[in-house]
Amino acid sequence: MIDWTKTDITKAVIDLQKFYSLILLNKKNASLKTDQYGQLLKEIFVMGNSLVFVVRYNESGEIKRVEMQVSLHKYFEEGYNYSDFQFKHLFQSVSSICITYGINPLFATILNIEAGFNVIPPTKTDTFLNGLYFYKTVPFTEMKNKFRFKVGIEATLSDYVVKCYNKRSQLLNRVQMPTELLRYEVHFNKMRKVNKCGIYCLADLLDHTKIYKLSKLVLSTLEDLVHFEPTAENNQLNTVDKKLMNQWKNPKQISKLMKNNSQKYRRQKRRFKQLSSQIERSALSEIKKAIHVKEKQLLQLDSVTIKQAKFFLTNYKK
């Protein structure tokens, strides 16, 4: 469930000199960033399997901050994150990184985190994505991979981003995987909601109860998705409502309408909500069920791993 994280490990590195010497072994995959006067601002060390360390410097050339960016799922799977990532796998990833690089998980402050689920949809992934209009009242916009190909959609709010995309398209058929695979995830760029789950540092990711709360937070966002079945639209809507639906598929048109004619915008918005309650959303309903089933599978109580995690954390003291 947990995937990408960005963590401040400045105070978590047990021996900074030893840590720096270790990541320096991968200097061939490192890059530097300087200011216009040649002053070193940061070093970026790409360690492999999505693990990246960023070392930032102050004006005196001293290390002021060390960040770790990693997909814990990819780290475990050595580069891919399309499989099921269970709590025991999360423990293995976090403990491996902490042991290898000398990081105290109790002092490793999480700055951003992503969590979500991979499921096989009841229909073609792209067909389902084309029917997603909004998250709450926020329009979905295109989500592209590093090659600038559209792979899905996302809705950006102040504290988090809801993402839904075609996992197979993202991987560009480089690996064997199901013909259809949908990824639903939430990227928390601010930690307020995550902190309410009791998650502040890497050590908290080894607490099954806290991960369970985070999973429920992710699942709660499913209830605010606005989705329409293409066949239902064609069969149940009159010409005027079809025109409205087509207009509301385009975020730019909606933004323009909201800016130029707020009264018409509010009127259409009310009608839009009425239509959303009338049209049957079978695909969305099935995907919600699939995600809930997947959550239960990934977060099955694993007494052995829970004991191992507690024992592992006893090696570290605040």
Side-chain angles (χ1 to χ4, degrees), residues 3 71 73-74 77-85 117-120 165 167-168 170-171 174-178 180-183 294:
D3 193 10
S71 163
H73 193 164
K74 287 183 179 179
E77 291 288 1
E78 299 183 348
Y80 293 109
N81 61 349
Y82 60 89
S83 60
D84 288 343
F85 190 58
F117 305 92
N118 298 328
V119 296
I120 298 176
Y165 55 95
K167 196 67 184 173
R168 190 173 183 84
Q170 186 195 42
L171 294 171
R174 293 195 299 268
V175 297
Q176 287 187 339
M177 57 187 296
E180 298 293 337
L181 192 63
L182 175 76
R183 173 72 178 179
K294 183 64 66 174

Side-chain angles (χ1 to χ4, degrees), residues 108-134:
T109 304
I110 299 173
L111 305 174
N112 304 143
I113 191 169
E114 282 182 354
F117 305 92
N118 298 328
V119 296
I120 298 176
T123 183
K124 287 187 177 296
T125 306
D126 290 338
T127 299
F128 173 75
L129 294 176
N130 289 336
L132 275 176
Y133 283 38
F134 290 86

Side-chain angles (χ1 to χ4, degrees), residues 44-238:
I44 303 171
F45 295 88
V46 180
M47 310 303 295
N49 295 334
S50 89
L51 178 61
V52 176
F53 291 109
V54 180
V55 182
R56 301 183 185 276
Y57 294 86
N58 59 24
E59 295 179 354
S60 302
E62 300 172 328
I63 294 176
K64 70 174 183 179
R65 179 162 163 159
V66 183
E67 297 171 0
M68 179 179 73
Q69 301 172 14
V70 62
S71 163
L72 294 167
H73 193 164
K74 287 183 179 179
Y75 184 84
F76 175 77
E77 291 288 1
E78 299 183 348
Y80 293 109
N81 61 349
Y82 60 89
S83 60
D84 288 343
F85 190 58
Q86 299 176 344
F87 180 70
K88 62 182 178 181
H89 304 144
L90 175 63
F91 165 68
Q92 291 173 34
S93 287
V94 172
S95 59
S96 173
I97 291 172
C98 290
I99 292 170
T100 301
Y101 296 97
I103 297 170
N104 185 334
L106 296 169
F107 289 102
T109 304
I110 299 173
L111 305 174
N112 304 143
I113 191 169
E114 282 182 354
F117 305 92
N118 298 328
V119 296
I120 298 176
T123 183
K124 287 187 177 296
T125 306
D126 290 338
T127 299
F128 173 75
L129 294 176
N130 289 336
L132 275 176
Y133 283 38
F134 290 86
Y135 171 72
K136 294 187 175 181
T137 58
V138 179
F140 278 103
T141 57
E142 283 190 359
M143 175 184 170
K144 297 182 179 181
N145 61 15
K146 62 182 180 181
F147 302 106
R148 308 305 298 165
F149 292 117
K150 179 184 175 181
V151 295
I153 53 178
E154 58 187 6
T156 304
L157 290 83
S158 59
D159 285 10
Y160 58 98
V161 181
V162 175
K163 301 179 180 182
C164 196
Y165 55 95
N166 189 327
K167 196 67 184 173
R168 190 173 183 84
S169 294
Q170 186 195 42
L171 294 171
L172 297 177
N173 299 321
R174 293 195 299 268
V175 297
Q176 287 187 339
M177 57 187 296
T179 304
E180 298 293 337
L181 192 63
L182 175 76
R183 173 72 178 179
Y184 181 81
E185 69 183 18
V186 181
H187 174 97
F188 296 94
N189 46 46
K190 292 182 181 178
M191 292 292 290
R192 286 181 294 188
K193 290 181 178 292
V194 179
N195 290 159
K196 289 181 180 180
C197 299
I199 296 175
Y200 295 86
C201 64
L202 280 183
D204 293 323
L205 299 185
L206 304 185
D207 188 319
H208 188 276
T209 301
K210 294 175 181 179
I211 295 299
Y212 178 79
K213 290 180 180 179
L214 179 60
S215 75
K216 294 305 179 186
L217 176 61
V218 174
L219 290 179
S220 70
T221 63
L222 291 169
E223 302 309 312
D224 291 309
L225 295 176
V226 178
H227 179 270
F228 296 98
E229 300 287 342
T231 54
E233 286 186 36
N234 293 333
N235 296 333
Q236 299 181 26
L237 301 183
N238 59 37

